[in-house]
Amino acid sequence: MPVAGVGGGGGGRGGGGRMVLGGCGGAGAAVVEDAVVMELAAAEGEDSVVTVNCPDQAGLGCDLCRTILEFGLRITRGDVSTDGQWCYVIFWVVPRSPSINVRWGSLKNRLMSMCPSSYAIPFYPEITQPAPPQFYLLKLFSTDRKGLLHDVTHILSELELIIHRVKVSTTPDGRVVNLFFITDGMELLHTKERQEETCSMLIATLGPSLSCEILLAEGFQQGFSSLPPTISEELFRLELDDCESSSRSLCAEMKKMQKASINFDNALSPAHTLLQIICVDQKGLLYDMLRTLKDCSIKVTYGRFWSNKKGFREVDLFIKQADGKKVIDPEKQEVLRSRMRSEMLHPLRVMIVNRGPDTELLVANPVELSGKGRPRVFYDATLALKALGICIFSAEIGRQTASERQWEVYRFLLDDSKEFPLANSLTNRNNIVDRVRKTLMGCYN
């Protein structure tokens, strides 16, 4: 299948008043300069266009989608083409919320860093675990108020700082000590300038009464969750049609998701299997599709992704197996269909449990074979709890192996209150699960 032409990339303004962020070279410029070109929207609500034109490698489309999701953007349309050595990708994107401040320059740099410098790379090299990141301890001292944890999370997200664990405690004088164990997506937090930028932005946004300190977290390691067997079984085996413990509105959403259509067509192309998907739209949908195909060693040669007027996504993907053959075996098709349905329509698990006398919110998502977790889960969960007026006493992120795979598990210990009692209120618990899950899936910004 032919590869689309190389995208131009001069700096300045494109047509229609759009600002173009790209390389400064012409047709003879180095690959790295024109690998990523961004045509920014001229007005709020319009799509910005991200073009990636570089050597191909295994799972590149998945990695690009993951980063776009991490920056708070929604992919409205997508077009992917590759000849096995060179790929050409176009994404039309919009911020998921007006409150999201997209750092377009940082996004461009992150996408550029993913582009291989050479096309002499096998499509399915041996998957290795990445080197462990450097962890830092962010200490914040402030007055207590509802929604503080999410407000801090929002700022850290804009700064590309990733939260791995949170400890919250209250001093006798009513002040709060927040300890955040974080990593830096830009890998610059060891510098004085980056630390000053972080603390300055936190103080400017949250008020001068906030004090901030950043230290190396020597010896810190991301822990592994150890949920009780009964809770673990329920959390990781929850199916889409399990409405017994769900609210009426959430149950309706689950039934809507079940209408997804996943079909294989081997008649249209002599060299590829056409995978056609029609399903309800939700946050991170294209990422979930591509990470599943990546983990199943399925190569996408050409793909197109768009939406219809009824809130459903339509996706056409021309695929091959790792050996270069079509997916013809009905059993293999059914295995892939089942995996796609589960990963694509139900990528996150949410439930409320008792932890002694306290109430705990659990959120879990599968981890890629490469070891990467899902972006913005902590952000969305704390956003939902802030909207409900629920305080978080502590939060922890760990990994757990279940159902023959690794999961990332978020554990939030919730503060019971007279305004929103949790101990004996099934309705309030269902409302929490409803709100958190819908926020994670993009129903709330």
Side-chain angles (χ1 to χ4, degrees):
M1 184 168 292
V3 179
V6 175
R13 286 197 177 272
R18 291 174 177 261
M19 177 66 76
V20 177
L21 301 180
C24 57
V31 170
V32 67
E33 292 190 0
D34 284 333
V36 179
V37 176
M38 293 184 176
E39 190 178 353
L40 304 188
E44 185 177 330
E46 295 183 0
D47 289 356
S48 296
V49 183
V50 178
T51 303
V52 180
N53 181 40
C54 67
D56 201 5
Q57 72 175 9
L60 179 60
C62 168
D63 296 338
L64 296 175
C65 288
R66 185 187 188 280
T67 301
I68 289 172
L69 177 61
E70 181 182 336
F71 275 74
L73 293 167
R74 172 176 176 263
I75 299 175
T76 60
R77 286 189 290 157
D79 206 324
V80 181
S81 180
T82 179
D83 63 355
Q85 292 187 331
W86 201 272
C87 72
Y88 186 77
V89 181
I90 306 178
F91 292 127
W92 287 260
V93 301
V94 294
R96 284 206 157 269
S97 168
S99 66
I100 294 175
N101 178 29
V102 181
R103 295 161 65 106
W104 292 102
S106 294
L107 173 59
K108 181 177 184 295
N109 291 337
R110 287 280 294 279
L111 296 178
M112 289 274 289
S113 69
M114 297 177 184
C115 294
S117 58
S118 169
Y119 55 76
I121 300 174
F123 264 110
Y124 295 100
E126 181 180 353
I127 295 177
T128 58
Q129 294 294 324
Q134 176 63 63
F135 289 93
Y136 296 85
L137 173 60
L138 170 64
K139 293 183 178 182
L140 298 179
F141 302 85
S142 67
T143 54
D144 194 12
R145 62 176 173 83
K146 291 182 179 179
L148 177 62
L149 182 56
H150 175 72
D151 293 341
V152 174
T153 302
H154 180 84
I155 297 169
L156 297 182
S157 176
E158 288 190 350
L159 290 167
E160 300 179 57
L161 298 172
I162 302 166
I163 298 172
H164 295 272
R165 186 176 298 171
V166 179
K167 294 182 179 180
V168 182
S169 60
T170 305
T171 62
D173 60 355
R175 288 173 61 83
V176 175
V177 181
N178 292 283
L179 303 179
F180 294 84
F181 293 89
I182 59 177
T183 55
D184 185 6
M186 298 175 66
E187 299 183 351
L188 294 173
L189 201 54
H190 61 282
T191 65
K192 182 179 178 181
E193 293 79 6
R194 177 67 162 157
Q195 293 184 12
E196 289 179 347
E197 176 195 21
T198 300
C199 287
S200 296
M201 191 166 177
L202 286 165
I203 293 171
T205 306
L206 301 176
S209 62
L210 181 80
S211 63
C212 171
E213 184 181 8
I214 299 175
L215 305 169
L216 274 175
E218 298 289 354
F220 176 83
Q221 293 183 343
Q222 189 171 28
F224 283 79
S225 293
S226 181
L227 298 173
T230 54
I231 293 177
S232 178
E233 181 177 359
E234 183 180 355
L235 179 65
F236 299 120
R237 291 188 181 180
L238 186 65
E239 298 296 336
L240 277 172
D241 57 355
D242 184 6
C243 290
E244 293 181 3
S245 59
S246 304
S247 68
R248 182 176 300 177
S249 61
L250 183 55
C251 187
E253 289 292 328
M254 290 179 174
K255 290 182 178 179
K256 186 178 181 181
M257 291 178 183
Q258 288 179 310
K259 297 180 181 180
S261 170
I262 304 174
N263 295 308
F264 297 85
D265 185 344
N266 280 298
L268 189 62
S269 168
H272 304 86
T273 295
L274 172 59
L275 176 60
Q276 293 182 303
I277 302 171
I278 301 175
C279 65
V280 67
D281 191 17
Q282 60 194 29
K283 181 183 292 186
L285 180 62
L286 187 55
Y287 164 68
D288 288 322
M289 292 180 183
L290 295 183
R291 71 171 172 83
T292 304
L293 294 174
K294 175 184 176 182
D295 285 352
C296 293
S297 298
I298 297 293
K299 170 187 159 188
V300 177
T301 302
Y302 175 79
R304 180 164 290 177
F305 175 83
W306 70 99
S307 61
N308 62 27
K309 296 180 180 179
K310 297 181 180 180
F312 279 76
R313 290 288 185 180
E314 298 184 26
V315 183
D316 287 346
L317 300 173
F318 286 84
I319 62 174
K320 290 181 178 180
Q321 298 180 104
D323 59 6
K325 297 180 180 179
K326 299 168 70 172
V327 186
I328 298 176
D329 187 343
E331 291 187 4
K332 290 184 178 180
Q333 290 183 6
E334 187 54 39
V335 169
L336 183 57
R337 179 185 288 111
S338 177
R339 178 75 179 270
M340 289 288 290
R341 181 179 292 276
S342 174
E343 301 289 337
M344 184 178 69
L345 305 181
H346 196 36
L348 294 140
R349 315 295 168 93
V350 184
M351 66 183 292
I352 290 277
V353 298
N354 292 324
R355 185 172 170 182
D358 301 314
T359 303
E360 187 174 45
L361 170 70
L362 302 176
V363 180
N365 59 265
V367 176
E368 295 179 31
L369 290 181
S370 64
K372 296 177 181 178
R374 187 183 187 87
R376 295 184 76 84
V377 175
F378 192 91
Y379 179 97
D380 287 335
T382 55
L383 175 61
L385 294 172
K386 178 184 177 180
L388 293 172
I390 298 173
C391 292
I392 301 170
F393 183 74
S394 68
E396 184 177 335
I397 307 169
R399 299 284 176 97
Q400 179 159 339
T401 300
S403 302
E404 299 182 348
R405 64 182 314 171
Q406 195 175 68
W407 297 77
E408 199 162 48
V409 181
Y410 297 75
R411 305 178 67 169
F412 300 91
L413 199 60
L414 307 182
D415 190 16
D416 207 344
S417 66
K418 294 180 180 179
E419 296 82 8
F420 206 100
L422 302 173
N424 299 308
S425 176
L426 181 60
T427 300
N428 283 347
R429 289 179 170 225
N430 283 342
N431 286 340
I432 293 174
V433 172
D434 191 335
R435 183 79 186 204
V436 170
R437 191 177 194 284
K438 285 186 174 181
T439 302
L440 289 165
M441 303 311 292
C443 299
Y444 297 107
N445 291 322

